[in-house]
Amino acid sequence: MTYQNPAQTGTEGQFEPSERTPVVELQGITKRFPGVLANDDIHLAVEPGEVLCLLGENGAGKSTLMSILSGMQSPDEGAIYVNGEQTVIADPRQALDLGIGMVYQHSTLVPTLSVIENLMLGASEKLILDASEARERLEQLAGMLGAEVDPHARAGDLALGQQQVVEIIKALWKGTTVLILDEPTSMLTPRGIDELAKMIDSLKEHGLAVIFITHKLHEALRMGDGVCVLRQGRVAGRLSADDLRSLDNDQLQERIVSLMFGDESGELAGVAELSAEVRHESGHDPSAAGSGRRQHAETATALRIRGVSLAPVASSHGLHDIDLELYQGEILGVAGVDGNGQRELAEVIAGQRDADTGAIVLHDGATEREVTGLGISSRQRLGLRYLTDERHGEGTVRTMPIGLNLLLKRIGQEPFWKRGAVQNAAIRSYTESVIEAFDVRAPGPDTPIGKLSGGNMQKVLLARELAFEPRVVVYNKPTYGLDVRTTQAVRLRIREQAERGVAALVMSTSLDELLEISDRIAVMSRGRVVGVVENGPGAEERIGEYMVGEVAA
Amino acid sequence: MLSEQLLTALIFGGLAAGMPLVLAGLGELVSQRAGVLNIGVEGMMIMGAYGGFVATLATGSAGMGFLAGGLMGAAVSLIMVVLCVRMGLDQIVVGIAITLGAEGLTSLLHAVQFSDTYPRIGRTIVLSIPWLSDLPVVGRALFGHHPIVYLTLLAAIFGTWALQRTRTGLAIRAVGERPEAVDAAGVSVVSTRTLAAMTAGVGGGLGGAFLAIVNAGNFIPFMTGGRGFIAIVLAMLARGRPLWVVVGAFLYGLSVSLATALQLVGVPIRTEVVFSIPFALVLIMLVLFGRNAYLPSALALPYHRGER
């Protein structure tokens, strides 16, 4: 099926007369789920050569709206116009035929297939696959994006940035006129984000319309020609290209924050994700961040890691001679691109993995306790805790209630078990107190944890690791994938614990986060700690230099 | 001890004994690659055996028997298609139910139809390929089988090619790993899996029919004796490659044939020991290659659009 380039049709849209017909227009889209109004009377339009940013918190209805546009779900009310004609999009195939290409938040590549096979999937008109024809198309689209892709690489072996290039090429395959990108930056490095921005620019030049979904304000301002803010399923407000040009950054930020969060925006001022924009655009010194820093010189050591190594394997760089010292009440950040040994280090400290060499020593005042040979639960009892980055994987048992997940690491221990018998009343009252104290939004203590949102699940995990006298806590990507509000709550907890003397090792791929909360920041690269930087003026630049390897370790 | 005649019998018997597993294993492999774990293949085999036997007995034509066996297997796999692929019920539960149900049903039908007699069907035609079948030892052993044997081997080669090089093969490989990707690409997950599950039914049915028509020449209740489960294992150990199913099945066939040969020669070993050789071999294969088994990520998981 071929479609006219909407830029050439010249006919005016029936409903909103403008110079050009919008490629896609949504009129009064409403979608209800049991108990939730996911989309409420949404109006949107995007024109060729325009990047529309859809901005909103998690749960604001962005993804539902886009799954309606891509045919995965159908709206309860409202109409969709493609190139000025009303259409019903019944399934993904039809969306593709209409020229709507979608890059989902979660990868839709089949990891065991090669790049070219992934691209041919669903695209081949003929029964017998024609790989050479597909390669030509791949080269053409890669050229248009200014990217290079090996057609025979296994998709699962590609770096995340490369996978995303393949996803975009796949979405463009059938002559797409609107490209929807759902939170495309969530798995990218800062450099990857720059490259993505360049690709979006070149798509714009080729006359494509792009809908860019994000919950990060600075990305919306950077990528978008227009910004549409969603809150609780409604369009809370819009900023046109003129607004973006005429207002300065502070004004824009203030305006968008108030649209995104309504009345609550006041209490969220100063959150790194929001303030990052100001620094990014105006080159402010990062010393504004990290206001909670303390001097650790006088305080005592809490944890010492000496010469810890782990042999590299195919899927991991391993660890190489890691030496780190962590002081009581200190927050030590660990920066680095994901997959450079952060998880391995965290698991070695927690006891989930044995190091090949080296020692881990827990200090308590004058006493030292080597924990290298101890198991997970002994370390747990000594106050050494690990907040995993796998909320859904090793973190929780989805089908079990919140209470049991809270006590997953203390099964059989008093007072929740007595002589092997579970004490339901004790568990229930404990769970209720945690739900209250950690502000977990849940129907009740018996709700299976899998039914909670990511943010609430993370609060439960945090409560689990911070209960019963923690002394050293390893936080692995503690705010990954959370909305701004929960992110802030989690950071407050980490700070609060540090003020009580609990030492924290915070691994994060967000440098903004580390600059905001850490006292010192260690940089990891290829399984090594390549440098440790005091947080303060100039820290960001020095960390950047360590990350790209300009400074000798 | 290994006379030329014995060697011929050994190889000939190995090919014949391995055939039911080749057929069932190939179908099972296609099904598994698409993410449908067909535990019911044992049931499809016994239904195919019964259907194939009755049709051959009635018409006197083994070809009609194979047709009936294949159709029977396909019909049983429709249960799997409706309940598992379309309605998303648990594949393992449905598969076990199919196996138990089919075993019971065929026993009952056999008892009603033949009471306690076990009528035999005549010898089936064999293809004697000129020149090749005159070669010493391997001539008769390799080139004197029923035509379906050669058709099946061609099907294995064709299947290997089709999985790699056709649109449908690509969709089958993808749907077993990440069905949401297939859905998002605009290919129907349900149709792809339906096709794959039906292939398993036809394979199982034909395998059962071969067992009854060629191997045994009659029908006995429960005659499949766990071959369907061995086919499931073979498909898993083959890591998605059809030709490895053929190799594994013939290895099994050879060990069955060896057991028979040892009996004939009169080696002083107890029959029970001799007849456990094939099963011991399967166990050894599992221990040696078990860790190489590859299962598609979405195997046995029903797909519902929009769920994560």
Side-chain angles (χ1 to χ4, degrees):
Chain A
M1 214 183 285
T2 54
Y3 278 89
Q4 274 182 291
N5 184 341
Q8 294 162 350
T9 55
T11 50
E12 285 189 344
Q14 285 173 273
F15 291 83
E16 206 170 301
S18 67
E19 291 162 36
R20 289 181 292 189
T21 315
V23 196
V24 164
E25 188 171 355
L26 302 180
Q27 295 259 355
I29 295 291
T30 300
K31 176 77 184 173
R32 293 179 200 90
F33 291 114
V36 190
L37 192 56
N39 289 149
D40 185 8
D41 191 29
I42 291 191
H43 294 258
L44 269 189
V46 58
E47 289 177 4
E50 183 193 22
V51 179
L52 174 71
C53 263
L54 212 52
L55 183 67
E57 273 200 289
N58 292 350
K62 306 175 302 251
S63 294
T64 306
L65 193 61
M66 291 305 116
S67 62
I68 287 172
L69 203 45
S70 65
M72 291 296 253
Q73 275 162 350
S74 50
D76 295 328
E77 282 165 36
I80 302 169
Y81 296 84
V82 178
N83 298 329
E85 275 177 43
Q86 186 167 355
T87 338
V88 175
I89 304 176
D91 57 27
R93 162 132 245 156
Q94 201 182 347
L96 290 171
D97 288 342
L98 288 167
I100 301 170
M102 173 105 184
V103 175
Y104 295 88
Q105 194 174 352
H106 300 271
S107 172
T108 59
L109 299 180
V110 182
T112 50
L113 299 183
S114 73
V115 167
I116 201 79
E117 284 176 330
N118 265 292
L119 293 170
M120 289 189 295
L121 181 62
S124 177
E125 304 281 323
K126 286 171 273 183
L127 180 63
I128 295 169
L129 300 171
D130 185 348
S132 63
E133 191 184 57
R135 270 198 299 276
E136 267 171 40
R137 178 80 176 139
L138 168 64
E139 269 167 36
Q140 180 192 353
L141 289 171
M144 181 168 146
L145 290 169
E148 247 177 69
V149 186
D150 172 12
H152 301 295
R154 238 173 118 259
D157 294 340
L158 295 179
L160 289 176
Q162 281 274 301
Q163 287 192 17
Q164 191 161 52
V165 172
V166 179
E167 297 262 17
I168 293 175
I169 289 175
K170 194 175 156 189
L172 296 175
W173 201 256
K174 287 188 177 170
T176 296
T177 48
V178 198
L179 181 67
I180 305 169
L181 299 163
D182 189 2
E183 308 241 354
T185 58
S186 58
M187 54 181 192
L188 294 183
T189 59
R191 235 185 80 198
I193 294 174
D194 288 341
E195 279 163 14
L196 178 67
K198 275 183 216 143
M199 285 190 252
I200 291 178
D201 281 341
S202 74
L203 290 177
K204 257 169 73 171
E205 279 163 28
H206 283 83
L208 265 82
V210 178
I211 301 180
F212 186 96
I213 304 173
T214 182
H215 64 265
K216 292 180 186 151
L217 188 148
H218 61 275
E219 282 174 11
L221 293 181
R222 180 176 171 198
M223 312 266 190
D225 296 320
V227 176
C228 176
V229 181
L230 291 187
R231 174 156 49 99
Q232 289 165 1
R234 294 164 174 270
V235 176
R238 295 167 210 269
L239 289 135
S240 65
D242 292 337
D243 292 335
L244 292 179
R245 269 192 297 275
S246 61
L247 299 173
D248 71 26
N249 273 315
D250 286 342
Q251 289 171 313
L252 277 176
Q253 189 188 325
E254 202 177 308
R255 181 113 173 249
I256 294 181
V257 169
S258 73
L259 288 174
M260 274 174 86
F261 302 102
D263 302 336
E264 295 161 84
S265 55
E267 53 189 85
L268 291 161
V271 173
E273 271 68 21
L274 302 178
S275 56
E277 164 60 15
V278 183
R279 263 190 289 127
H280 193 92
E281 295 295 314
S282 51
H284 276 195
D285 195 275
S287 61
S291 50
R293 277 199 307 280
R294 289 160 310 281
Q295 283 302 313
H296 54 78
E298 298 117 279
T299 54
T301 303
L303 180 79
R304 182 170 284 157
I305 300 165
R306 280 198 318 249
V308 164
S309 295
L310 197 64
V313 290
S315 57
S316 144
H317 292 296
L319 293 173
H320 304 280
D321 204 22
I322 306 277
D323 276 304
L324 279 176
E325 190 164 6
L326 189 58
Y327 303 97
Q328 283 177 14
E330 183 196 28
I331 300 176
L332 175 60
V334 178
V337 176
D338 215 2
N340 273 287
Q342 294 97 324
R343 167 177 296 199
E344 288 82 351
L345 179 59
E347 292 187 353
V348 163
I349 298 174
Q352 293 180 197
R353 232 183 246 239
D354 285 327
D356 297 334
T357 58
I360 296 158
V361 183
L362 204 56
H363 291 252
D364 186 14
T367 59
E368 289 184 16
R369 178 87 194 258
E370 179 162 349
V371 298
T372 321
L374 296 182
I376 298 171
S377 59
S378 313
R379 296 189 200 202
Q380 176 89 8
R381 269 197 293 275
L382 287 169
L384 185 55
R385 303 293 164 75
Y386 173 42
L387 181 77
T388 176
D389 60 338
E390 275 195 350
R391 280 196 283 280
H392 299 275
E394 64 179 16
T396 52
V397 183
R398 302 180 59 80
T399 50
M400 283 187 358
I402 298 172
L404 284 178
N405 273 288
L406 267 175
L407 297 167
L408 212 52
K409 295 188 175 176
R410 322 186 74 82
I411 291 175
Q413 293 177 25
E414 299 211 359
F416 306 109
W417 278 264
K418 277 183 185 153
R419 276 175 251 99
V422 64
Q423 305 295 308
N424 282 321
I427 293 180
R428 193 180 174 87
S429 69
Y430 174 66
T431 308
E432 276 165 358
S433 72
V434 166
I435 287 179
E436 169 91 33
F438 280 78
D439 187 30
V440 180
R441 310 276 165 88
D446 300 325
T447 311
I449 199 161
K451 300 239 189 256
L452 301 189
S453 71
N456 284 308
M457 210 184 258
Q458 186 74 340
K459 286 179 190 168
V460 173
L461 289 192
L462 204 57
R464 177 168 84 200
E465 304 309 330
L466 297 182
F468 309 103
E469 293 172 32
R471 281 170 42 207
V472 175
V473 185
V474 180
Y475 303 89
N476 196 353
K477 290 195 262 175
T479 63
Y480 182 77
L482 303 183
D483 62 37
V484 179
R485 209 181 322 222
T486 320
T487 296
Q488 195 201 23
V490 170
R491 288 180 192 157
L492 275 177
R493 284 285 167 192
I494 297 175
R495 279 223 188 95
E496 183 188 289
Q497 289 290 324
E499 265 148 38
R500 290 189 195 163
V502 174
L505 193 65
V506 182
M507 299 168 170
S508 178
T509 46
S510 157
L511 195 52
D512 292 328
E513 169 165 273
L514 295 177
L515 290 169
E516 184 190 335
I517 63 170
S518 310
D519 300 308
R520 289 184 301 154
I521 297 170
V523 184
M524 279 194 88
S525 174
R526 295 173 172 272
R528 291 172 203 281
V529 171
V530 292
V532 182
V533 176
E534 289 283 336
N535 196 3
E540 190 175 2
E541 287 71 26
R542 298 222 308 287
I543 291 166
E545 287 162 9
Y546 277 124
M547 279 170 90
V548 298
E550 283 171 17
V551 181
Chain B
M1 190 174 86
L2 281 178
S3 67
E4 193 175 297
Q5 214 177 357
L6 185 65
L7 206 59
T8 301
L10 196 66
I11 299 174
F12 183 87
L15 268 172
M19 272 316 285
L21 285 184
V22 174
L23 282 158
L26 285 176
E28 180 69 25
L29 178 129
V30 172
S31 182
Q32 284 185 12
R33 288 219 86 164
V36 182
L37 180 61
N38 184 5
I39 296 280
V41 67
E42 177 88 5
M44 293 166 196
M45 283 182 86
I46 195 78
M47 290 291 275
Y50 187 74
F53 166 73
V54 171
T56 310
L57 199 64
T59 62
S61 147
M64 289 309 285
F66 283 118
L67 184 67
L71 285 176
M72 206 68 158
V76 180
S77 69
L78 272 179
I79 302 174
M80 195 95 193
V81 167
V82 172
L83 294 182
C84 300
V85 177
R86 294 188 182 254
M87 292 168 65
L89 300 194
D90 189 284
Q91 293 172 9
I92 293 172
V93 172
V94 172
I96 291 174
I98 286 176
T99 294
L100 295 179
E103 283 172 346
L105 183 66
T106 48
S107 304
L108 179 73
L109 286 175
H110 182 266
V112 169
Q113 209 167 348
F114 305 105
S115 46
D116 276 341
T117 63
Y118 298 96
R120 299 196 60 86
I121 48 183
R123 291 194 66 84
T124 53
I125 53 151
V126 294
L127 206 66
S128 271
I129 301 171
W131 300 98
L132 290 175
S133 56
D134 294 335
L135 293 171
V137 186
V138 292
R140 253 229 358 109
L142 295 182
F143 302 104
H145 288 274
H146 189 274
I148 196 167
V149 173
Y150 308 106
L151 289 176
T152 307
L153 296 181
L154 286 178
I157 295 166
F158 172 78
T160 306
W161 174 84
L163 276 175
Q164 289 302 322
R165 295 274 177 256
T166 67
R167 186 177 62 188
T168 316
L170 180 61
I172 286 175
R173 283 187 290 147
V175 83
E177 292 290 339
R178 197 165 261 182
E180 61 272 27
V182 176
D183 196 15
V187 180
S188 165
V189 174
V190 167
S191 313
T192 310
R193 287 191 164 172
T194 298
L195 179 71
M198 300 283 285
T199 309
V202 172
L206 284 176
F210 192 94
L211 187 68
I213 300 169
V214 180
N215 293 137
N218 65 358
F219 179 86
I220 305 163
F222 296 95
M223 72 186 300
T224 45
R227 283 181 181 79
F229 293 101
I230 295 177
I232 294 173
V233 169
L234 278 179
M236 287 176 169
L237 291 178
R239 314 189 62 176
R241 283 165 305 193
L243 291 177
W244 280 104
V245 169
V246 176
V247 171
F250 285 137
L251 213 58
Y252 169 84
L254 269 182
S255 71
V256 172
S257 169
L258 183 71
T260 318
L262 288 177
Q263 277 265 297
L264 289 177
V265 177
V267 179
I269 310 174
R270 289 181 67 98
T271 22
E272 289 85 351
V273 176
V274 170
F275 281 110
S276 66
I277 290 177
F279 298 96
L281 183 88
V282 170
L283 268 180
I284 292 169
M285 288 208 313
L286 274 179
V287 171
L288 289 182
F289 302 112
R291 77 173 62 225
N292 293 337
Y294 176 76
L295 303 181
S297 317
L299 186 64
L301 299 178
Y303 175 69
H304 303 286
R305 182 179 283 175
E307 260 183 28
R308 292 212 167 92

